[in-house]
Structure formats: structure tokens, C-alpha cells
Amino acid sequence: ILVQLPLPKHLNEEKVLLKISPKKDVDAFHPENVGKIMIGNFSILPCTPAGVMELLKHYNIDINKKHCVIIGRSNIVGKPQAMLLLHANATVTVCHSRTKNLAEVCRTADILVVAIGKADFVGADMVKPGAVVIDVGMNRRADGKLTGDVNFAEVEPIAGAITPVPGGVGPMTRAVLMRNVLAAAGLSTKNVIKTTVFLADLKDFPTVNGISETFFEAPYPARSCVQVAGIPKGALVEIGCIAVEE
């Protein structure tokens, strides 16, 4: 179960979120899940922050001992992103609308995560040469084109790595949502004996068009794997397996 935030003003967000069982909270917005993220004992993670971590992991970007600056302090991205980076042994600075000398602080970042919802807000003057830039924003320009919170054309030449918009963090958010659904099923179904979720390259699987079911050998009784559809061969996708008793 997920709640698409923000809710209309006449609805109480807190009351609605509390109605969802923490075991079925695939966005990890329930206070119980938020607390588990804080202490590092979690089963489900917020989709976008977890997607960012998967991107960093896949591209072998070392987080340990690095200075990570996050622009944005929302409960959906900024705060949980800070916790996940801390768990990975980064030194984390969280910036927001009241931060003094914002550009100066951003230029100290080895890894810069931007999640403020302002089109092209971060320019080259805010990025240290060689820094990794993660653009979480999704905005629409006056001409109708999508853009992130980072001015890609300005920052890309000096960044060590940068995510595009669209096609960067967004697909990872959706992939992690699928992983969370599988994890929630594992928490909620009594006969599930093991849940395994991993990233895989579509070139390793026979079907790349349409939703398909793939079965393969695994060290537990029954296997059911859902392959993500409609992605070019060679792209990373999320594959989930739930092993259940026969």
C-alpha cells in the first residue's frame, strides 16, 4: 500500500499514514519504518533515497569517508537520504532554504544530492570539479520539457558523474518500489521462507519485451521471478524473487 503525497489539504497526512500497516508500507513513510531507518534496522526503505544508493553502488562510487551534501530536507528524500549515507560512513551536510552561503557549502561536496524542486537551480558555480552529482528533481519548463534541479548543460562538463533528468533517479525509484512490494509480501505472508531481490542486467535474460516470468535454479523450493519490461537490452532492472513453501 502506498499513499501518493502530498495529499489534498483537507486530508490529514499523518492520520492517513498511520492507518497503513508498517509491513505493507512500501514507501516507508510510517513512523515505525522511519524510526527503523534512523537506527539502521530496516526491512523497507524509501524508494528514491534507496534508488540513489543503488546507483552509487552499481557505479562503484565510494561513499566511505566522503563528504555528501544534500540540498533539501523533506521527509520523502532529504532526511532519509542523509540517514542512508550516514549508515554508509559518509560525512553528511543537509542544506535547505535557510542555509547560509549555500553555493560555498555545495562546493565542498564529494557527492551532491539535489532534491528541492526548483528547475536548473544548481549551476556550475555550486559544484566542485570531479564531484558526483545526483539530481532527484523533476520539473517542467515553460516549453514543456522536463528538467531536473541541476542545470545539466552547465554541470556535466565539470562533474565526475551526473544523473540525467529524465532517465536517472526516476527509474531507480520505480525499481525500488517493486523491491519494496516484494519485501512487504515477505513480511506479510506466513508461508514465505525467503525473499531475494537484486539488480540484474537484461542481457542475461531471454525476454526483453513484455512482462515475463522467468524460472531458474535457486537454493530454495519454489521460485517466481518478475522481469521488468520495456527496457532496452543491457539496461539495469530490478528483479525480485519470493521463495515460498511448496
Side-chain angles (χ1 to χ4, degrees):
I1 301 172
L2 63 85
V3 178
Q4 186 65 53
L5 300 177
L7 292 174
K9 292 183 179 180
H10 68 283
L11 297 175
N12 187 304
E13 180 179 305
E14 182 179 359
K15 288 183 178 180
V16 172
L17 292 175
L18 286 173
K19 292 292 184 180
I20 300 174
S21 166
K23 293 181 179 180
K24 296 183 179 181
D25 170 31
V26 294
D27 267 329
F29 291 164
H30 190 283
E32 181 177 320
N33 288 327
V34 173
K36 287 182 176 180
I37 295 165
M38 179 72 71
I39 63 175
N41 181 26
F42 45 77
S43 300
I44 298 175
L45 288 171
C47 301
T48 297
V52 169
M53 300 302 288
E54 290 288 355
L55 277 173
L56 294 171
K57 179 181 178 181
H58 174 71
Y59 288 102
N60 296 314
I61 295 171
D62 187 22
I63 304 172
N64 185 48
K65 299 181 181 180
K66 296 297 177 64
H67 183 208
C68 299
V69 174
I70 302 169
I71 308 179
R73 54 179 170 178
S74 73
N75 293 332
I76 297 173
V77 179
K79 291 175 184 176
Q81 190 71 74
M83 289 300 103
L84 295 185
L85 290 167
L86 281 172
H87 292 320
N89 299 318
T91 298
V92 180
T93 300
V94 179
C95 299
H96 46 80
S97 60
R98 303 296 179 89
T99 299
K100 291 184 178 179
N101 304 317
L102 178 61
E104 182 179 335
V105 175
C106 290
R107 284 194 297 270
T108 68
D110 301 307
I111 300 173
L112 179 63
V113 182
V114 189
I116 54 173
K118 293 185 178 181
D120 300 326
F121 180 82
V122 172
D125 63 318
M126 299 177 69
V127 178
K128 178 173 69 174
V132 174
V133 180
I134 306 293
D135 191 351
V136 180
M138 179 68 76
N139 312 284
R140 194 172 294 277
R141 294 181 178 140
D143 60 6
K145 292 183 179 180
L146 293 175
T147 187
D149 292 346
V150 177
N151 188 320
F152 188 90
E154 277 192 19
V155 174
E156 191 271 338
I158 66 170
I162 186 171
T163 59
V165 177
V169 174
M172 294 305 301
T173 297
R174 295 190 289 275
V176 173
L177 176 60
M178 294 186 67
R179 180 173 69 183
N180 285 352
V181 170
L182 291 164
L187 293 171
S188 303
T189 306
K190 291 182 179 179
N191 67 337
V192 169
I193 58 174
K194 186 175 181 180
T195 302
T196 304
V197 184
F198 53 92
L199 284 171
D201 195 315
L202 272 183
K203 68 184 180 183
D204 298 328
F205 292 83
T207 303
V208 296
N209 294 316
I211 297 176
S212 66
E213 229 179 25
T214 305
F215 295 91
F216 58 93
E217 294 184 3
Y220 33 85
R223 284 82 62 188
S224 178
C225 300
V226 179
Q227 180 173 319
V228 179
I231 301 177
K233 195 168 184 178
L236 277 176
V237 296
E238 191 78 7
I239 305 295
C241 297
I242 296 180
V244 297
E245 294 176 347
E246 293 181 318

